[in-house]
Amino acid sequence: MAKGLATESLCDCCTICLPLSEEQYRQIVDHAGKFRQFLDHCHQQMPELFPEDFSQGYEMKDCRTPKKLQVKLRRIKLRSGAAYTIRPSFLMPYMTARTE
């Protein structure tokens, strides 16, 4: 087994969870420029939430909307080829429910 996989879930490996309210998220999720600006700001303020190679660059990949929650989720692709879903903190891991 690869090092670290026993302690990390697959969701944690491909998800970046960022602290923001549902209202803030709805204001930026539909606008790629605003979303990128928010990601860059978060990376400057909280680099520990991002993968090590995030600073090498990324591009917007696509959007997904889980049927259960009906919240649009953006995905990014790093230059290294790894893809990450950006999950707002008001959603539980695996997008099972909203948090308070």
Side-chain angles (χ1 to χ4, degrees), residues 1-96:
M1 183 177 264
K3 183 180 178 182
L5 287 181
T7 58
E8 294 180 13
S9 72
L10 288 177
C11 185
D12 290 339
C13 294
C14 60
T15 302
I16 299 170
C17 180
L18 297 178
L20 71 162
S21 71
E22 189 165 356
E23 181 181 328
Q24 291 171 314
Y25 186 74
R26 291 197 185 277
Q27 291 175 2
I28 65 169
V29 71
D30 290 325
H31 308 283
K34 287 181 182 180
F35 199 84
R36 177 178 279 280
Q37 189 176 33
F38 176 76
L39 281 180
D40 292 342
H41 175 74
C42 285
H43 182 252
Q44 289 175 355
Q45 299 297 314
M46 303 166 277
E48 66 276 4
L49 299 180
F50 293 83
E52 287 182 23
D53 53 353
F54 183 85
S55 60
Q56 295 175 4
Y58 66 95
E59 61 185 42
M60 297 297 183
K61 184 174 186 221
D62 57 19
C63 295
R64 295 171 31 185
T65 304
K67 290 180 184 179
K68 192 172 194 175
L69 297 176
Q70 294 300 306
V71 175
K72 186 179 193 177
L73 299 174
R74 283 204 173 259
R75 292 173 34 95
I76 61 170
K77 183 177 178 182
L78 303 182
R79 286 206 175 148
S80 65
Y84 289 86
T85 299
I86 307 300
R87 179 175 61 86
S89 59
F90 64 85
L91 295 179
M92 296 288 290
Y94 298 105
M95 279 48 97
T96 55

